[in-house]
Amino acid sequence: GAVVSQHPSWVICKSGTSVKIECRSLDFQATTMFWYRQFPKQSLMLMATSNEGSKATYEQGVEKDKFLINHASLTLSTLTVTSAHPEDSSFYICSARVAGQGRYGYTFGSGTRLTVV
Amino acid sequence: AQSVTQPDIHITVSEGASLELRCNYSYGATPYLFWYVQSPGQGLQLLLKYFSGDTLVQGIKGFEAEFKRSQSSFNLRKPSVHWSDAAEYFCAVGARSSNTGKLIFGQGTTLQVKP
């Protein structure tokens, strides 16, 4: 089946530094990628939607200059948390739309636990 | 506004017992409905979905869900829970008219299984 590989699975960084999270579709082309943020014991909140070769569409309240999303190829999308602060600590998950499975045919990455100290 | 409510934050059941996880939605029209499961530190796995047709939907791992339009509900059930079912469960909805395919998730229900 369609697999999305998300790396790293966890990362600890110092406040003020930037962190890049990668999501790769291993056996399919991901024309659309969704990025979610999940706080402990809470739901997934959509941050942005990215389409290959286009600028990402950010949800209301999400700082696009802080959370940089790049979807330069059909198999790779990245989320960079710039100038990270402790309040950015969270679980970040990507989800890729699988061609041929309809608008809601997704496969999710395994998530990245970001801790900013 | 569109919303999804999972009234039970945490449920504990004994292994072998039956399970029902509740999900209610508020939407302008009947949306597409989904149930996902998330193991600790992992991504989400689709259990089942409802688009149309038979309101009782069968999914993977022995789960089923029933869509009840009159109650705006899509409750998840399993007749006999296994210890490996312990996880976080999310109900989600998507608009039929959406071009983007965005999902709105409920708050999640944590399932604990007692031996």
Coordinates of all heavy atoms in Angstrom, one line a residue, chain A residues 4 7 9-10 16 24 30 36 40 44 46 53 55 57 62 64 66 71 81 90 102 105:
Chain A
V4 N 3.9 6.7 3.4 CA 4.6 8.0 3.6 C 5.6 7.9 4.7 O 5.3 7.5 5.8 CB 3.6 9.1 3.9 CG1 4.3 10.4 4.4 CG2 2.7 9.4 2.8
H7 N 10.4 11.9 8.6 CA 11.6 12.0 9.4 C 11.9 13.4 9.8 O 11.6 14.3 9.0 CB 12.8 11.5 8.5 CG 12.7 10.0 8.3 ND1 13.0 9.1 9.2 CD2 12.3 9.3 7.2 CE1 12.9 7.9 8.7 NE2 12.4 8.0 7.5
S9 N 11.6 11.1 13.5 CA 10.5 10.7 14.3 C 10.4 11.6 15.5 O 9.4 11.7 16.1 CB 10.5 9.2 14.6 OG 11.8 8.9 15.2
W10 N 11.6 12.0 16.0 CA 11.6 12.9 17.1 C 12.9 13.8 17.0 O 13.9 13.4 16.4 CB 11.6 12.2 18.4 CG 12.8 11.3 18.7 CD1 12.9 10.0 18.3 CD2 14.0 11.6 19.3 NE1 14.1 9.5 18.7 CE2 14.8 10.5 19.3 CE3 14.6 12.8 19.8 CZ2 16.1 10.5 19.8 CZ3 15.8 12.8 20.3 CH2 16.6 11.6 20.3
G16 N 15.2 29.1 19.2 CA 15.8 30.1 18.3 C 16.4 29.4 17.0 O 16.7 30.1 16.0
R24 N 8.1 11.9 2.8 CA 8.4 11.3 1.5 C 7.3 10.3 1.1 O 7.1 9.4 1.9 CB 9.8 10.7 1.5 CG 10.8 11.3 0.5 CD 12.1 10.6 0.8 NE 13.1 11.6 1.1 CZ 13.7 12.4 0.3 NH1 13.4 12.3 -1.0 NH2 14.6 13.3 0.7
A30 N 2.6 12.1 -4.6 CA 1.8 12.8 -3.7 C 1.6 14.3 -4.2 O 2.4 15.1 -4.0 CB 2.3 12.9 -2.3
Y36 N -0.3 18.6 9.7 CA -1.1 18.8 10.9 C -0.2 19.0 12.1 O 0.9 18.5 12.2 CB -2.0 17.5 11.2 CG -3.1 17.3 10.2 CD1 -2.8 16.5 9.0 CD2 -4.4 17.7 10.3 CE1 -3.8 16.3 8.1 CE2 -5.3 17.5 9.4 CZ -5.0 16.7 8.3 OH -6.0 16.5 7.4
P40 N -0.6 17.4 22.9 CA -0.9 16.2 23.7 C -2.4 16.0 24.1 O -3.0 17.0 24.5 CB 0.0 16.4 25.0 CG 1.1 17.3 24.5 CD 0.5 18.2 23.5
L44 N -6.1 16.6 15.9 CA -5.2 17.1 14.8 C -5.7 18.4 14.3 O -6.9 18.5 13.9 CB -5.1 16.1 13.7 CG -4.2 14.9 13.9 CD1 -4.9 13.9 14.8 CD2 -3.9 14.3 12.5
L46 N -5.3 21.1 11.3 CA -4.7 21.3 10.0 C -3.9 22.7 10.0 O -4.5 23.7 10.4 CB -5.7 21.3 8.9 CG -5.2 21.5 7.5 CD1 -4.3 20.4 7.1 CD2 -6.4 21.7 6.5
G53 N 4.6 22.0 -6.5 CA 4.9 23.1 -7.4 C 4.2 24.4 -7.1 O 4.4 25.4 -7.8
K55 N 2.6 27.3 -4.0 CA 2.7 27.8 -2.6 C 1.7 27.1 -1.8 O 0.6 26.8 -2.2 CB 2.5 29.3 -2.6 CG 3.7 30.1 -3.2 CD 3.4 31.6 -2.9 CE 4.6 32.4 -3.5 NZ 4.4 33.8 -3.3
T57 N -1.1 26.6 1.1 CA -2.3 27.4 1.6 C -2.3 27.1 3.1 O -2.5 26.0 3.5 CB -3.6 26.9 0.9 OG1 -3.5 27.1 -0.5 CG2 -4.7 27.7 1.5
V62 N -2.2 30.4 11.3 CA -0.9 29.7 11.2 C 0.0 30.7 10.5 O -0.2 31.2 9.4 CB -1.0 28.4 10.4 CG1 0.4 27.8 10.2 CG2 -2.0 27.4 11.0
K64 N 2.7 31.7 8.3 CA 3.4 31.1 7.2 C 4.9 31.4 7.2 O 5.7 30.6 6.6 CB 2.8 31.5 5.8 CG 2.9 33.0 5.6 CD 2.2 33.4 4.3 CE 2.3 34.9 4.0 NZ 1.6 35.2 2.7
K66 N 6.7 31.4 9.8 CA 7.3 30.5 10.8 C 7.3 29.1 10.4 O 8.2 28.3 10.7 CB 6.5 30.7 12.1 CG 7.1 29.9 13.3 CD 6.5 30.3 14.6 CE 7.2 29.6 15.7 NZ 8.6 30.0 15.8
H71 N 7.0 22.0 -1.3 CA 6.5 20.8 -1.9 C 7.1 20.8 -3.3 O 6.3 20.9 -4.3 CB 5.0 20.7 -1.9 CG 4.4 19.4 -2.2 ND1 3.1 19.1 -1.9 CD2 4.9 18.3 -2.8 CE1 2.8 17.9 -2.3 NE2 3.9 17.4 -2.8
V81 N 10.2 24.5 10.8 CA 9.8 25.4 11.9 C 11.0 26.3 12.1 O 12.1 25.9 12.5 CB 9.5 24.6 13.1 CG1 9.0 25.5 14.2 CG2 8.5 23.5 12.8
S90 N 5.5 20.1 19.8 CA 4.2 19.5 19.5 C 4.5 18.3 18.6 O 5.7 17.9 18.4 CB 3.4 20.5 18.6 OG 2.1 20.0 18.4
G102 N -9.5 9.0 -4.6 CA -10.4 10.1 -4.3 C -9.9 11.2 -3.5 O -8.8 11.1 -3.0
G105 N -8.7 10.0 0.0 CA -7.8 8.9 0.1 C -6.5 9.3 0.5 O -5.6 9.7 -0.3

